[in-house]
Structures are given as C-alpha cells and as structure tokens.
Amino acid sequence: MELIGFNKPYFTGKETDYIRQAVESGHISGNGIFTKKCHEFFNKNYGFNKCLLTTSCTDALEMSAILTDIKPGDEVIMPSFTFVSTALAFVRQGAKIVFIDSRADQPNIDEEAIEKLITPKTKAVVVVHYAGVACNMDFFIELSQKYKLWLIEDAAQAIDSFYTNKVGKKIPLGSMGHLACFSFHETKNIQCGEGGMLVINHEAFKKRAEIIWEKGTNRAAFWRGEVDKYGWVDMGSSFLPSDIIAAFLYAQIENIGNIQKKRIEIWNTYFNKLKPLEEKGFIRLPFIPDFATNNGHLFYIICKNTDKRDALIRFAKQHNIWPVFHYISLHKSPFYTNLHDGRELEWADIYSNTLLRLPLYYELGKNEIQRVVKMIFDFFANN
Ligand SMILES: *Cc1c(COP(=O)(O)O)cnc(C)c1O
C-alpha cells in the first residue's frame, strides 16, 4: 500500500516559468516585478490595500511586534494553542506573553476569558484563526477599541477565508486587525516553500512598515521618487523575500480558486463520511460558527483522550497513513513554562492531547480519502 503522507506540496506547473522570467528580467532581489504582481493580486482580490510579502509569517509577526512598539514588560495576550512563532515574535521584543485558553467547541480563543486578563501593561491581542476559521472579530474589534489595544491577526492559515460581521458584511480575514500576518509555508494552502505576508490596515503604520521591511531604510520611498536620497531612518531587518520566491508564489495565487475548490471538496468528503462516528460519540468533528467560512486549510478530528488518539496514530501508521497531532500548548513548552503565570488552560491542553489532523492536500485522490476514512472506521470498530 502506498504511503499517504500528511502533506504534499502542490505545484501548479507555472512556477519554473515565472522563476525563469524573474531571472531573465535581471532583477531577483526583493520588491521586484513579481513581488508587485503578488501585492496587486492581494489588493484586488481581498482589498488588502497595503501588503508586503515577507520571508515567512514569523517575519510578518516580528514586523508587527516592531510596528506596535512592544517593549520589555509589555503584555501581549494570545492563545496557548498556536504555533510557536505567534509568541516568539513578541518575546523577542521583551514582551510577557499572557496565554489564554481555547473555546470548548473549537480551538479559537475563548472570548469569555479575555477581559479579566487585561492590565495597564497589556499592549496587544493576537488572535489566531485556527484552521482558517474566523475568530469572533466584532468582539475583538470592540475589545481593542475599549482598552486601546493593538489587534493583530495571525492569519497564517486563513488565506481566502471570511468573517460575516454583525451587520451582515462578509469581510476577508486579514483585513480587520491593525495588522495581519499570513504564511505561505509549504504546508499552507498556497505556498512558496517559505514565505509570508504582512497586511497593514492601520493607516499610521503604512510608511513605517515599508521602512522596517527594508532594513530600516526609506529605500521604497526613494524608488518612488518621494525622497531624493535614502538612508538608515528606523529599526528594521531584511524582511523582504527574493523576487524568485515571489515568482513561485505568483504561480500559486493565480491558481487559488482551483486550489481552494479542491481542498474544500476534500474537507467536505471527510466531514460527511466521518459524521456517523461523531453521531456514535467516538470522535468530534470540526465546528465552524455561522459567521465564519471554511477555507479547507486543515481537517481535524478530536478523540476522547490521548490514549485513543495515540493508538489511532499507531494504527494509521500500520496502514501506511500519516496523520499528525498539532500544537503542544505553548504555556507548557520547555521554553516558556517557567514564565507562564500558572493558570490552567484546560481546552488548550485537551486540543494538544486529543486533536488529530488528517492528510489534506491538493493531490489527495478519492481512493486515498476512502482509505483514510476506512482505516478510521476499522479502528473504532475495535476500540
Ligand atoms: C504556519 C504558522 C505560522 C508560521 O508561519 P511561517 O511562514 O512558517 O513562519 C504562524 N502561525 C500559525 C498559526 C501558523 O499556522
């Protein structure tokens, strides 16, 4: 039986053509033709009026921490059930991370828990749209206004996903926080190996973001003819990717409709076929609130306990299928556990211990999906 891996990066076939074009244009450093094409695409399709490609989502998060001027001792609230970069970017600026629990019905932030964690030192809230499913953004926007906090969306998994606000307007994820960070890592819906993007929605950040992006210089303004020489004017780093990376990414985003359609189809197949196991109480399936869309980023099941989940992983591997668990709660991670304030975060731990991600990638065929589904049914027939 052939191996069904957890992820298999998809190539549209145009990537090498565009890379060749980038090479032939003679400009392969950052902010070249393909970078601009990518920016225009995101602007036109999602209304991201200022966006900057970065070398990763981690970098976009680091830019966010610099832009919001996070200083030692500042507190930043974020879920514990997230990827390490969400926290790391702010820890680098000296922030104290205040981890918050996940909801009982799905892994996004538990809104009810947040208000009592806000102190005079709180500077920012980072929401993570887990599995591309929107957080309750009306709530977080009001909260950030009430307490004057920066609101940052970790939209790493959330490309082409939407939130319907309280007046019924459908808004792309990534356009509601002051800043939003996307990932184009190989494991994400559209990808360029390693890559990301910062979306700047707060007017006052727009100029400065460009400077931080290009090593603290006003080079971008210089090329537009707005200043007559460029130099070192601020903090920054080299956050911009080579135009070769942007060329690769452009081939992917041109195909985004196709990619999304396929991923959502796979997601729906899993959901419908596994429904009987949920009805019998063996597992829980993903829950998507009415205000959120599903972008087919990842499909997870939640097992009753860690033993079941780990036994299922072993059983899958015997059948040459490689599902994976996801995050280990960050408040329990070796690097941060001594810095955490000791609060129990029950649901973050439950998701760490019982959530299982099934193989989901563009080229996953009907027979392979059927094999994964059958394997899960076989497991629960005896467990
Ligand atoms: C993938 C991911 C990241 C990191 O993205 P990179 O592009 O690999 O830096 C950050 N946050 C979340 C929630 C992610 O899923």
Side-chain angles (χ1 to χ4, degrees), residues 54-61 81-87 127-131 154-158 181-188 193-197 297-298 326-327 357:
T54 56
T55 51
S56 64
C57 179
T58 306
D59 268 5
L61 287 159
F81 190 71
T82 183
F83 190 60
V84 55
S85 301
T86 320
V127 295
V128 180
H129 304 298
Y130 183 75
D154 180 337
Q157 307 174 8
C181 308
F182 286 91
S183 174
F184 305 123
H185 182 263
E186 181 181 274
T187 50
K188 303 301 199 292
E194 303 277 356
M197 176 169 71
H297 174 58
L298 67 84
H326 212 174
Y327 310 126
R357 302 170 68 189

Side-chain angles (χ1 to χ4, degrees), residues 48-84:
F48 298 156
N49 114 330
K50 182 72 188 174
C51 49
L52 296 170
L53 291 190
T54 56
T55 51
S56 64
C57 179
T58 306
D59 268 5
L61 287 159
E62 285 179 12
M63 286 185 71
S64 303
I66 298 172
L67 276 165
T68 52
D69 216 13
I70 300 295
K71 293 202 169 60
D74 289 344
E75 293 175 7
V76 178
I77 300 176
M78 65 181 64
S80 175
F81 190 71
T82 183
F83 190 60
V84 55

Side-chain angles (χ1 to χ4, degrees), residues 4-245:
I4 303 179
F6 162 68
N7 180 53
K8 183 175 169 199
Y10 168 63
F11 303 101
T12 68
K14 278 291 210 45
E15 287 84 355
T16 41
D17 283 350
Y18 289 159
I19 289 172
R20 187 181 304 107
Q21 281 180 36
V23 171
E24 284 168 359
S25 81
H27 177 125
I28 56 165
S29 59
N31 207 5
I33 298 165
F34 281 100
T35 300
K36 292 193 171 89
K37 276 177 180 284
C38 291
H39 289 171
E40 275 161 26
F41 174 90
F42 290 116
N43 184 343
K44 204 168 125 232
N45 286 271
Y46 302 107
F48 298 156
N49 114 330
K50 182 72 188 174
C51 49
L52 296 170
L53 291 190
T54 56
T55 51
S56 64
C57 179
T58 306
D59 268 5
L61 287 159
E62 285 179 12
M63 286 185 71
S64 303
I66 298 172
L67 276 165
T68 52
D69 216 13
I70 300 295
K71 293 202 169 60
D74 289 344
E75 293 175 7
V76 178
I77 300 176
M78 65 181 64
S80 175
F81 190 71
T82 183
F83 190 60
V84 55
S85 301
T86 320
L88 188 61
F90 295 88
V91 167
R92 280 171 55 104
Q93 294 294 113
K96 174 173 184 263
I97 307 299
V98 178
F99 288 115
I100 187 166
D101 208 358
S102 294
R103 295 175 54 94
D105 57 3
Q106 43 117 336
N108 280 342
I109 289 192
D110 176 12
E111 299 88 343
E112 303 230 317
I114 202 167
E115 208 154 345
K116 54 182 175 289
L117 297 175
I118 296 172
T119 75
K121 288 185 176 166
T122 310
K123 283 283 284 287
V125 173
V126 187
V127 295
V128 180
H129 304 298
Y130 183 75
V133 174
C135 292
N136 182 352
M137 292 310 286
D138 282 328
F139 173 88
F140 288 105
I141 291 166
E142 275 166 30
L143 185 90
S144 91
Q145 287 166 350
K146 180 170 170 196
Y147 292 97
K148 303 208 164 19
L149 305 174
W150 297 118
L151 180 60
I152 297 155
E153 298 177 68
D154 180 337
Q157 307 174 8
I159 195 71
D160 201 49
S161 202
F162 298 81
Y163 171 72
T164 303
N165 75 4
K166 59 188 172 198
V167 295
K169 190 167 173 230
K170 200 170 167 187
I171 307 167
L173 301 191
S175 47
M176 290 168 280
H178 296 102
L179 296 161
C181 308
F182 286 91
S183 174
F184 305 123
H185 182 263
E186 181 181 274
T187 50
K188 303 301 199 292
N189 291 24
I190 57 166
Q191 58 99 13
C192 54
E194 303 277 356
M197 176 169 71
L198 179 69
V199 179
I200 304 111
N201 299 312
H202 182 58
E203 205 53 45
F205 284 158
K206 288 183 180 170
K207 276 244 159 67
R208 192 170 177 225
E210 240 173 30
I211 291 169
I212 291 168
W213 192 53
E214 287 209 80
K215 302 121 190 142
T217 72
N218 52 355
R219 192 167 176 275
F222 172 75
W223 283 114
R224 283 196 302 265
E226 291 165 17
V227 290
D228 52 16
K229 58 179 191 296
Y230 80 87
W232 184 15
V233 296
D234 200 343
M235 279 279 287
S237 188
S238 188
F239 287 118
L240 72 177
S242 154
D243 221 46
I244 292 178
I245 297 286

Side-chain angles (χ1 to χ4, degrees), residues 254-270:
E254 268 190 340
N255 258 286
I256 191 165
N258 197 17
I259 292 171
Q260 291 300 90
K261 185 166 167 282
K262 190 69 186 280
R263 295 187 73 105
I264 292 166
E265 257 169 41
I266 297 170
W267 197 102
N268 286 334
T269 307
Y270 273 138

Side-chain angles (χ1 to χ4, degrees), residues 285-324:
L285 296 179
F287 168 72
I288 299 176
D290 289 342
F291 57 66
T293 58
N294 171 25
N295 73 344
H297 174 58
L298 67 84
F299 192 90
Y300 63 81
I301 63 175
I302 296 163
C303 300
K304 280 207 163 138
N305 54 49
T306 315
D307 288 347
K308 278 262 156 33
R309 195 260 319 257
D310 294 350
L312 178 53
I313 293 178
R314 283 193 301 274
F315 188 77
K317 287 183 175 169
Q318 286 162 13
H319 292 77
N320 229 8
I321 296 168
W322 290 71
V324 295

